[in-house]
Every structure is written in C-alpha cells, then in structure tokens.
Amino acid sequence: MQNKRIAVLLFHVLLLCFICIGSAQEGSISSIPLKTHLKTIEKTFNIKFSFIDDAVTGITIIPDSKNTLETHLDYISQQTKLEIKRLSDRYYAISKKTTLNICGQILDNYKSKPLAGATIQVINTATATIADENGIFELSNIPLGALLQIKFLGYKPLFIQADALTQQPSCTKIALALKYQQLKEVIVYQFLTTGLQKNTDGSITINASDFGILPGQIEPDILKTIQALPGIKSIDETVSDINIRGGTNDQNLMLWDGIKMYQSGHFFGLISAFNPYLTENIVSIKNGTSAQYGDGVSGVLSMQTKDKLTDSFFGGAGINFISGDAYGQIPVTDKIAVQFSGRRSATDFFNSPTYDQFFDKVFQDSKIVETPTERDIKRDANFYFYDFTGKLLYNINDNHKLRWSFINIGNTLDFTETQSNAPFSESSLDQTNLSFGSSLKSSWGNYFSTDLNIYYTQYKLKAQNNAIPVSQKLAQENEVLETAIKLTTKYQPNDNFHWLNGYNFNEVGITNFTYVTQPPFTSNIKGVIRTHALFSEVDYSSPNDKFHATLGGRLNLIENINTFSETILEPRINLSYAVHDFVKLEAQGEFKSQSTNQVIDLEQNFLGIEKRRWVLSDGEQLPITKSKQGSLGINYDHHNLYIGLEGFYKEVKGISTATQGFQNQNQFHGEIGQYAIKGIEFLINTKNKYYSAWLSYAYNKNDYTFKTLSPSNFPNNLDIRHTATLAGTYNYKNLKLGLGFTYRSGTPYTKPQEGDAAINQNFFPAQINYQEANSSRLPEYTRADASATYNFKLNQKLNAVVGASILNFTGKENILNTYYRVNTDNEIETVQRLSLGVTPNFSFRILF
C-alpha cells in the first residue's frame, strides 16, 4: 500500500512538471540566429543588409514585435551592440561597434542622493570626467569593453564595464557603497539630528530638506538650528545676535546665495528671515575658513537655496502662531525653472500666546521697576513683518548654468504710549533689506571650472521717537549699499587635489543720519570703502583618505576713499589626520579682517529696541578689525557614538567700546581695544535609527583689553564661562519628538556705586557713577524646551506636517541683561531684560 502511494505521488509530480514545461514552452519565444531575423526584416520592409559574416555569426536574438523599421533597427543595435548605418533608402550596413556613448547617474547608496563631483575615469586612458550637481555624467566614443573607475571621497571605488552604461531613455543609476571605516574620517551623516553633517574641514553643513527635529523647534529655523552646535549661542535668545566663540553678531559673515546680508531676523531678532524650505544647504564655519571668504572675523554662515531643475512642480505652505508662508518651484521648460517664497506675519491682526510672549520680551520697559508716576502708562504696538524671495534657474547647456536671485525682508513697527488718555510717546521703525544677485557656473572641460558671482544689496533702517512731555524728537537713519563681483576658478585633475583661485571686489557705502531736538544735534555721516582681494587655496586628500589639508591665503587691499588705504595678508590653514579608523586629529588656523561694524549706542532712546547701526572703518576712530585664531581638536566616531573635543584661542583687535554694547561708564567713550578668548568645546553624541542624544559643554574665558580705560583688563560683555546642553530626539514612524535642557553661567554687567555716590547731578542730564566695569554677574541661565511633529498623507499627492512646541516649559524667569538709566526725577532706574516665558507654538504645513 505504501509503495502504491509513493508511485501515485511521483506520477502527479511528473505530470505537474510536464504541464509546467509545456506551459513555459507555449508562453515563451525562443532565440533565433540573428541572420534569420535579418532575412525576415529584409522581406518585410524590402531592404538589404550588408555585413561580414564574422560580425553576426554566433549572435542570437529574441524576435521582437516592433512596428517600424526604425524601431527594429534600434532594438537590434541595443540587444547586439552592433552598429547599423543607413547607406540608402534600401541598403544598410552592419558592423561591430568599436566605441560607445555612455551616461550614468551616481547615487549615494546610504542616502539615495546624487553624488555631485564624483570622478569617472576610463582605465588605462586619459579620458575622465566629473559628475554634475545631479550626479550625472556623459562620455563619448568610449572603446567597447572599456573599464571605468568611479570614485567619491568616503565611498568604495567602483569598477564597471562601459558596455553596461549605454545611453537609454534615462541614464543608468549607479550606487556607490559607503566606505564605513573611512567614512567616519570624512563625514558624520547624523550629527545631533538628521540633516546635520560634520565635514572633514570641521565645518557643519545643514541639509534643510533632510532636517529632523531639535528641542523647541517645529520648523527648521536656520539661525536657531546652528545654535545647537557647541560654540554658537545667542545670549539674548535671538537669531539676529548670534555669538560665535565669544564674538559679536556683526563679526559674522552671513551669505544668502552668495549675497552678504545686513539683516537676518524678524520680530527684532526672534525669528529667522530666511525661508528654510527652499534653502538646500547651510554651512557654518567657526575656524579654518576657506580663503574665498572675506569679512567675518568670528564666523561664516553661508546659505544656498535649491539649485536643481526638476521636471515637476513642488512646494508647500504653512501657518503657525506668528505667521503664514508659501513656497514652490515651477518648471518652465526643461532648461528653466522659477522659485518663489513669501511669508507674512499675522501679528497686526491676531494676538496668539506666542505673540504675547514675544511682545513682552521685546518691550522690556514693562519690566522696569517703575516709579508711581509711570504705572498708569499704557503701551500699544502695531507690528508686522514680511519676506519674499525669488530665483530663476537657467541651464544654458550642460556646461553653463545661470542663476538669478533676489530677497526682500521687512519689519514695520508703530509704538504708542499713553498716560491719562493722552499721548505720552510715539515711535516708529522701518527696517528693510533688498538684495539682487546672479551667478554663472561654467565647466571648461574635465578639470577646470569657473564661478562668476555678482550682487547688489541695500539695507535701510528708519527709526523715530517722539517724547511728547519733554518735546524731544529723535530720528535715526542707517543705509548700507553694497555691490560686489567675485570670480572663482577651480582646477581639479582628480578627486584628491584641487586648486582654487579668484578675485573679489566689494564697494560698500554707508550713511548714518541722526537728528535730536533736545539737546539740538544733527549728524549726517557718509563713507565708502572699496576692497580688492586676491585669493588662492590648495586642497589635498591622501589616496587612503586619512590625511586632508587645505592651505590658502587672501590678499586684501582696503581703501576708504576719504581717509586710508591698507593692505592685509590673511593666511588660512585646515588640517586633519586619521590616526586610527575611528579617531581623527584636527588643526585649524586663520587670519581675518573686516571693515564694517555695528555701533550700539543711544541705549536710553527708542526703548532700547533698535539701537544697532552699521558703520565703516575710518582708520582713526574705528580701525579695521583684525582677528587671528588657532584650534586643535580630536574626535572619535564609530558606529553609534561620536565624541569630540576641541580647544581654541582667538584674538580680535581693533574693536571699539561703541561696537560692544556697553551700558556703563564706557558706553560713549569710543575707546579702541581688543579681546582675547580661550576655550574648550566638548560634545558626546549617541544615535541610532530611532534616537539621538547628546551632551555638549563649552568653557570660555573672554577678556577685554582697553589700555586707555581703568581698569584696562576686565571681562567681555559676552564672557560666558560655562555652557552646557543635554538634549535628545526620538523618531518613530511619522512621529518626531525633541526634548532639551540648556544651562549657562551669568554674563557680566556693571552696577552703580552704592548710596549717594551712585549719581552725579553736576551734569545735565545727571550721570551714573558706576563700579568697575563688568565686576558683577547675572544669575545663571537655564531653559528647557520640547517639540513634536507628526507627518501624514492627505492624499496621493499631498503630505502634511503638524507640530507643537513649548519654549521654557518650566517657566524659569531668566535675566538676560541688567542696565541702569536716570529718569526725569534724577533717580536711577533698573532695567532688566528678561528671557521668554512659557512660549507655546503650533504649526500646520502642507507639502506637495
């Protein structure tokens, strides 16, 4: 019985096999000799093929169902790699191909994104090229059977046959595998959160389109994001007053599409003025700056908007408790596209909890220890802001790409104080930044390229304050006009070496107008500075990627057309060496200079809200500001753990008490001096697919030296000895969470003297007698923030993001600054500028 069952089972198995084989044979078309297929085509279309037998012997082909002769011939050529030439209407010649036209698109296998700048070389020949910004390359007349080598820094070299890359309707996609051990020596792809990358030169790149989440942020605010990095903070919780390694905000070079920006924030610096959804990359540099950058003795922040043409429209729109915005990119042709973005505040017709907290922080007079006569003063503000950007992308051809960009930023405020239903004070403020720029990027063969950049920018500030009871009027105007042209050339024979050279011309004109009725005073100061700069830089990476060096210099000729001319040489160096697969040493150094600064004066006027005005170096009252900086660092990066430690020393000369924000006896002196800061920055970051947690700590000792003051040495206004951040993010499916805690020691300030000696009434107006400069410190600062976002689909084409955040959710009342002033009763008032209170925010965004 058992044998019978086995026999029946075998019979059914064999029967099934025969059925499958028969079905396969019935449904498939077998290959036939190419000669046979060619004869069929000859009869069908009444043509004749001419060929040598050796060219087609042994080649088989699966017959196709093409309808026209052209499609038949294309199919044969693609399947057999034979070349078919039309001799006449009836005769065609067939021969073996000896060369190919190939193309491919190189992608990062980890991120599935194009690897711009990858090198492609035909082995044993001099033929080579570089992938464009979309990772695409093309080569013509490549020998049949040639072998290609594809290389990109931080990835395993790939060898591929040229025959596999014949031009199809679209170029063949080629994925490069990460070189894991050596990748860690080059780039940390997830640094704190996704979209933050640490580069081999020590700079940080923020990829806005891949940005994750940070505590307190529900949208990728560019200037808030960089403050998550060690050594970059804002002591007054703004984005328009960013302090990089103890420097003031005007000592930072801020570029948007290569255009220098003189205004960066809305709502008096509480919100970034740049749309993050069209910003593709943001590079932050603290030291070891490339020679192509001038200005900015403290740091560089370069923002670049999206620069890739797409064949379909993309964009988005969103709202939050402060503003609404929209953006998009529209393809016009296959060579032209248009970008746009716009944002408008809702603050002039909608008061949200976020607006109320922002308002309270900005108008800090409500926090003054008021006299009885001031307690019935009512304050009302009408405020709004906007920003618009546009960009035209035109690919003239594969080798020449033209871009045109503009940005318009504006803030408007009308502020009124009333007492007993009568006007007490009226103020107004208009602040705008309008910039235009264009660039032409050209490739001149496989190794040489150029980048020509031209821009014009205009910044205007108009502020008026009318103190009605005392009949005092104050008007301030500040205007900056800058034009620039920059030509950069790059020679890159391979991916291990490139040589950068260039010329940069800037002309900056600044006007400062001040009008005061009591005491009568009028000032109208105009100046122009022209700067010619030559720069050169060599970048080298060893073949094993262990050693990287960038050596360069910048030669500046700075001319103030009214007063002085000076030549300044600025060497730059950036070195890194991997002593182990996971351990890298870094050394950086730079000399830099700048000829524009912001004076911070008239603290008692216009409520202290807008008191910064751009001025030019004149060689006497305000010399050219110069800095030198050196740093040494070591970092470990392996698997899910990153540990970095860096020490630095920076010295900045040619600063004025007028540019440092003094609010004591040194406020109006205009003395010239310097500051020196030495510090250590530490970061430990552990991360995986779902979470990232980090602890950062910075120690800084920042001291002024003003030889003409007494004492001559005292703590810097930005001397924050200890700063620490403990934070983490968690991602699960479409949900992102962020939680963080920040601590820093108090900043220095100056108290009045005790008792009757505190005020000197022998002057008009009365003056305060202060203790030694910056001899007191504010209390410690702590803040805890949280945020959450959730992504979901509305339909096949629309995605949505909803987010909520709370800044300072513990409600800690931090004192950001304390200064003193004399009121109309010749009494000293204490003004305390406080941090944001509990500040909620909510956003909803649609992406398409």
Side-chain angles (χ1 to χ4, degrees):
M1 177 66 69
Q2 184 70 23
N3 292 337
K4 184 176 180 181
R5 289 179 179 176
I6 293 175
V8 172
L9 179 60
L10 288 173
F11 173 76
H12 283 90
V13 170
L14 291 173
L15 179 62
L16 180 61
C17 291
F18 281 121
I19 292 173
C20 292
I21 292 171
S23 299
Q25 289 177 342
E26 182 179 355
S28 63
I29 302 175
S30 59
S31 299
I32 63 175
L34 178 60
K35 277 187 178 181
T36 304
H37 187 52
L38 293 176
K39 290 179 180 179
T40 302
I41 296 176
E42 286 179 334
K43 292 179 181 179
T44 303
F45 297 99
N46 191 28
I47 63 171
K48 287 291 185 181
F49 291 110
S50 174
F51 52 82
I52 301 174
D53 285 344
D54 290 345
V56 299
T57 300
I59 299 177
T60 60
I61 193 171
I62 299 176
D64 59 295
S65 57
K66 308 298 180 184
N67 296 322
T68 65
L69 175 61
E70 287 75 15
T71 54
H72 274 287
L73 298 181
D74 288 342
Y75 175 76
I76 293 171
S77 181
Q78 291 176 10
Q79 296 296 315
T80 64
K81 304 296 187 294
L82 293 174
E83 187 174 9
I84 303 177
K85 290 185 178 180
R86 181 175 178 271
L87 303 178
S88 66
D89 290 342
R90 192 169 179 230
Y91 290 95
Y92 292 81
I94 299 177
S95 61
K96 289 184 177 180
K97 285 185 178 179
T98 58
T99 61
L100 298 169
N101 295 331
I102 63 175
C103 75
Q105 183 180 26
I106 304 173
L107 301 173
D108 169 5
N109 192 40
Y110 179 72
K111 289 286 184 182
S112 296
K113 292 183 179 179
L115 295 180
T119 59
I120 302 93
Q121 183 173 12
V122 181
I123 298 298
N124 296 326
T125 73
T127 303
T129 189
I130 298 174
D132 65 13
E133 61 190 18
N134 299 317
I136 295 175
F137 71 92
E138 295 183 3
L139 289 171
S140 301
N141 299 321
I142 304 303
L144 195 68
L147 184 65
L148 304 181
Q149 182 187 45
I150 302 175
K151 296 174 63 179
F152 191 77
L153 196 63
Y155 294 80
K156 295 180 180 178
L158 177 67
F159 295 88
I160 188 171
Q161 292 288 338
D163 303 32
L165 304 177
T166 53
Q167 291 180 331
Q168 303 290 333
S170 61
C171 295
T172 305
K173 295 183 186 303
I174 307 167
L176 293 190
L178 289 169
K179 187 163 49 178
Y180 286 99
Q181 290 184 348
Q182 292 187 9
L183 171 66
K184 301 302 183 179
E185 301 160 10
V186 182
I187 294 177
V188 182
Y189 268 99
Q190 183 175 318
F191 184 72
L192 306 187
T193 188
T194 56
L196 277 172
Q197 303 173 357
K198 183 174 181 181
N199 304 317
T200 188
D201 61 1
S203 64
I204 302 295
T205 298
I206 303 171
N207 189 322
S209 62
D210 194 34
F211 187 76
I213 191 173
L214 285 174
Q217 293 191 44
I218 48 178
E219 296 180 301
D221 189 300
I222 295 168
L223 301 183
K224 289 182 181 178
T225 298
I226 67 168
Q227 295 183 40
L229 306 172
I232 304 178
K233 297 296 176 187
S234 173
I235 66 167
D236 60 0
E237 297 184 330
T238 68
V239 299
S240 60
D241 191 12
I242 294 175
N243 314 119
I244 298 180
R245 287 186 171 173
T248 53
N249 182 73
D250 61 321
Q251 294 173 353
N252 300 325
L253 173 63
M254 190 169 295
L255 301 172
W256 180 84
D257 273 357
I259 305 170
K260 183 176 180 179
M261 304 304 299
Y262 288 89
Q263 180 182 351
S264 58
H266 290 311
F267 217 134
F268 309 104
L270 293 177
I271 304 168
S272 170
F274 306 105
N275 187 296
Y277 298 99
L278 283 179
T279 305
E280 188 168 43
N281 287 310
I282 307 102
V283 178
S284 173
I285 306 172
K286 294 184 288 186
N287 190 13
T289 309
S290 170
Q292 64 181 303
Y293 296 116
D295 284 340
V297 297
S298 273
V300 175
L301 180 64
S302 177
M303 296 164 279
Q304 184 67 47
T305 57
K306 293 184 182 296
D307 203 50
K308 177 184 176 182
L309 270 70
T310 57
D311 56 6
S312 60
F313 169 77
F314 70 84
I319 57 172
N320 56 43
F321 279 167
I322 294 293
S323 62
D325 73 280
Y327 71 95
Q329 178 169 310
I330 304 172
V332 179
T333 68
D334 59 346
K335 292 186 176 182
I336 299 176
V338 176
Q339 283 180 13
F340 67 90
S341 75
R343 174 169 48 176
R344 173 60 158 81
S345 67
T347 53
D348 49 340
F349 57 86
F350 172 65
N351 288 353
S352 66
T354 311
Y355 171 80
D356 291 339
Q357 289 296 329
F358 282 8
F359 183 90
D360 288 345
K361 181 180 185 301
V362 171
F363 299 97
Q364 291 285 326
D365 266 17
S366 61
K367 303 301 181 184
I368 295 175
V369 181
E370 297 173 334
T371 64
T373 59
E374 292 180 309
R375 288 174 182 165
D376 61 344
I377 295 178
K378 297 180 180 179
R379 296 171 173 85
D380 182 49
N382 181 28
F383 169 73
Y384 70 90
F385 63 81
Y386 62 86
D387 58 73
F388 301 99
T389 70
K391 185 173 183 178
L392 175 68
L393 299 86
Y394 176 34
N395 287 356
I396 302 172
N397 52 45
D398 291 342
N399 296 321
H400 303 281
K401 298 178 180 180
L402 179 66
R403 302 293 184 260
W404 181 85
S405 304
F406 90 91
I407 185 170
N408 187 16
I409 303 169
N411 289 270
T412 297
L413 167 71
D414 293 312
F415 188 89
T416 303
E417 294 180 304
T418 58
Q419 186 177 31
S420 301
N421 297 321
F424 181 78
S425 176
E426 295 175 345
S427 301
S428 65
L429 169 72
D430 289 302
Q431 187 182 28
T432 60
N433 194 112
L434 178 64
S435 302
F436 300 89
S438 63
S439 66
L440 176 63
K441 296 181 179 180
S442 302
S443 177
W444 308 93
N446 296 330
Y447 308 125
F448 188 72
S449 61
T450 59
D451 186 359
L452 177 64
N453 186 44
I454 303 172
Y455 71 79
Y456 166 84
T457 190
Q458 179 190 61
Y459 168 80
K460 282 187 177 182
L461 167 69
K462 292 185 177 181
Q464 292 184 348
N465 183 42
N466 184 13
I468 295 173
V470 296
S471 299
Q472 183 191 54
K473 293 183 179 180
L474 163 68
Q476 294 180 354
E477 293 185 13
N478 183 210
E479 183 178 27
V480 181
L481 299 176
E482 178 172 349
T483 56
I485 181 170
K486 182 178 180 180
L487 176 64
T488 305
T489 68
K490 185 177 181 180
Y491 174 68
Q492 185 173 359
N494 54 62
D495 61 345
N496 296 112
F497 174 85
H498 75 248
W499 185 18
L500 197 72
N501 292 281
Y503 167 75
N504 194 182
F505 170 77
N506 287 71
E507 181 179 87
V508 184
I510 297 182
T511 301
N512 271 293
F513 173 78
T514 302
Y515 171 72
V516 183
T517 57
Q518 289 188 9
F521 176 78
T522 301
S523 174
N524 190 18
I525 302 173
K526 297 181 180 180
V528 176
I529 279 186
R530 298 189 180 103
T531 303
H532 302 267
L534 295 173
F535 57 88
S536 183
E537 181 177 275
V538 173
D539 188 279
Y540 171 77
S541 296
S542 62
N544 61 3
D545 295 335
K546 286 183 174 293
F547 177 69
H548 178 86
T550 302
L551 303 174
R554 185 179 181 92
L555 181 64
N556 300 306
L557 173 60
I558 303 174
E559 299 176 310
N560 186 314
I561 62 172
N562 297 320
T563 56
F564 74 94
S565 176
E566 186 172 350
T567 301
I568 302 173
L569 178 62
E570 301 173 355
R572 314 280 175 86
I573 184 171
N574 199 316
L575 306 173
S576 66
Y577 180 72
V579 296
H580 187 270
D581 288 341
F582 317 120
V583 180
K584 183 174 68 173
L585 299 176
E586 297 174 339
Q588 299 167 335
E590 62 182 24
F591 282 61
K592 298 174 75 175
S593 64
Q594 66 180 67
S595 57
T596 56
N597 295 271
Q598 280 184 322
V599 295
I600 308 173
D601 58 5
L602 302 174
E603 179 62 48
Q604 296 185 159
N605 295 287
F606 195 57
L607 311 176
I609 293 173
E610 183 51 55
K611 56 188 181 296
R612 299 172 181 270
R613 295 187 292 170
W614 289 98
V615 297
L616 292 172
S617 298
D618 58 12
E620 296 177 359
Q621 294 182 348
L622 185 61
I624 295 175
T625 306
K626 302 175 183 178
S627 73
K628 56 184 178 181
Q629 182 180 184
S631 62
L632 291 173
I634 182 172
N635 61 63
Y636 170 88
D637 187 25
H638 183 51
H639 292 315
N640 299 326
L641 180 64
Y642 173 87
I643 302 175
L645 179 66
E646 186 172 9
F648 69 92
Y649 175 82
K650 180 168 70 173
E651 186 178 85
V652 179
K653 295 182 177 181
I655 64 170
S656 168
T657 54
T659 66
Q660 296 298 299
F662 282 102
Q663 294 167 305
N664 53 28
Q665 64 268 41
N666 301 321
Q667 181 174 353
F668 300 106
H669 288 182
E671 304 293 339
I672 304 301
Q674 66 183 65
Y675 71 84
I677 176 171
K678 52 187 176 183
I680 296 175
E681 297 167 357
F682 171 78
L683 173 68
I684 180 169
N685 179 208
T686 179
K687 54 193 178 293
N688 64 17
K689 179 180 179 182
Y690 300 103
Y691 76 88
S692 177
W694 64 93
L695 171 66
S696 67
Y697 169 77
Y699 169 80
N700 292 331
K701 190 176 187 303
N702 194 350
D703 293 316
Y704 286 125
T705 299
F706 289 93
K707 294 182 179 179
T708 56
L709 298 180
S710 180
S712 59
N713 296 94
F714 53 93
N716 192 300
N717 296 334
L718 303 175
D719 179 42
I720 302 176
R721 295 294 171 89
H722 306 280
T723 304
T725 299
L726 177 63
T729 62
Y730 179 76
N731 302 333
Y732 180 72
K733 295 184 178 179
N734 296 329
L735 178 66
K736 297 179 181 179
L737 303 173
L739 180 66
F741 175 82
T742 300
Y743 162 87
R744 67 170 182 251
S745 54
T747 54
Y749 76 107
T750 309
K751 289 182 179 180
Q753 294 184 12
E754 301 290 340
D756 295 337
I759 190 166
N760 186 347
Q761 299 190 23
N762 295 326
F763 293 88
F764 181 82
Q767 294 182 355
I768 299 174
N769 293 324
Y770 287 96
Q771 299 177 15
E772 287 191 359
N774 289 348
S775 57
S776 301
R777 284 192 179 265
L778 295 174
E780 298 171 335
Y781 173 99
T782 60
R783 196 175 94 174
D785 304 324
S787 56
T789 61
Y790 182 76
N791 301 352
F792 58 95
K793 281 187 172 293
L794 294 175
N795 55 40
Q796 290 291 337
K797 295 183 178 180
L798 293 179
N799 295 320
V801 183
V802 61
S805 67
I806 302 180
L807 300 175
N808 193 19
F809 63 77
T810 62
K812 177 67 164 38
E813 191 175 78
N814 296 294
I815 301 175
L816 301 177
N817 188 19
T818 296
Y819 69 95
Y820 304 88
R821 66 187 188 185
V822 179
N823 63 19
T824 56
D825 297 325
N826 283 342
E827 296 175 340
I828 296 177
E829 292 179 339
T830 301
V831 183
Q832 290 185 339
R833 297 199 176 276
L834 304 180
S835 66
L836 285 170
V838 179
T839 308
N841 201 358
F842 174 84
S843 69
F844 177 74
R845 180 163 296 278
I846 296 175
L847 307 173
F848 45 84

